[in-house]
Amino acid sequence: VLAVDKVQRPHGNTLTEIITAITRDVESIDPSTTLDWDFHLADTGYDANHDYSSWRWIVSAPEFHIVKEGFPRIASPVSLGISGLTYSISLSACSPYLTETTLAKSIIFKEVGSESA
């Protein structure tokens, strides 16, 4: 979970600055995923040639939650005939599942490593 707040200059970063920083991280951590990252950005409608400088943002440090039994979610399989579903989750309902960043990263990178093996 990331908290994102719109702020005024000189605070925060533009969307382009945030994407550039994340792209640098992706390239340094696992260069083989850079193309996937670029495709995902394009899927969201992000265009590196667009001027995103009119708005600035502050992004919090991430919070990670373990999704397990009891975590508020819509579980699969979803019944046939249900589509276009949107929903909201109260972050306070997720707090019992909050975990340390280091544990979450170890789980994420262990799973990524096992997928490429």
Side-chain angles (χ1 to χ4, degrees), residues 1 3 7-8 15 29-30 35 41 44 55 59 62 67-68 78 80 93 99 101 106-108:
V1 175
V7 295
Q8 296 198 5
L15 180 60
I29 293 169
D30 187 356
L35 189 59
L41 284 174
T44 66
W55 294 348
V59 181
V67 178
K68 61 182 181 180
V78 177
L80 290 175
T99 189
T101 300
S106 71
I107 292 168
I108 292 166

Side-chain angles (χ1 to χ4, degrees), residues 17-111:
E17 292 167 341
I18 293 167
I19 296 296
T20 300
I22 293 170
T23 301
R24 264 190 254 118
D25 288 346
V26 168
E27 290 170 347
S28 68
I29 293 169
D30 187 356
S32 68
T33 62
T34 303
L35 189 59
D36 284 339
W37 169 245
D38 290 339
F39 284 139
H40 289 302
L41 284 174
D43 286 344
T44 66
Y46 178 78
D47 180 355
N49 296 318
H50 183 78
D51 180 12
Y52 295 101
S53 64
S54 60
W55 294 348
R56 300 183 71 79
W57 307 95
I58 291 179
V59 181
S60 72
E63 291 183 348
F64 294 92
H65 298 82
I66 299 292
V67 178
K68 61 182 181 180
E69 188 64 38
F71 187 86
R73 62 185 166 158
I74 297 174
S76 65
V78 177
S79 300
L80 290 175
I82 297 176
S83 64
L85 185 65
T86 60
Y87 67 102
S88 298
I89 296 176
S90 167
L91 288 180
S92 63
C94 299
S95 61
Y97 305 93
L98 191 64
T99 189
E100 295 294 321
T101 300
T102 52
L103 174 61
K105 285 183 177 180
S106 71
I107 292 168
I108 292 166
F109 290 113
K110 182 175 135 187
E111 289 177 3

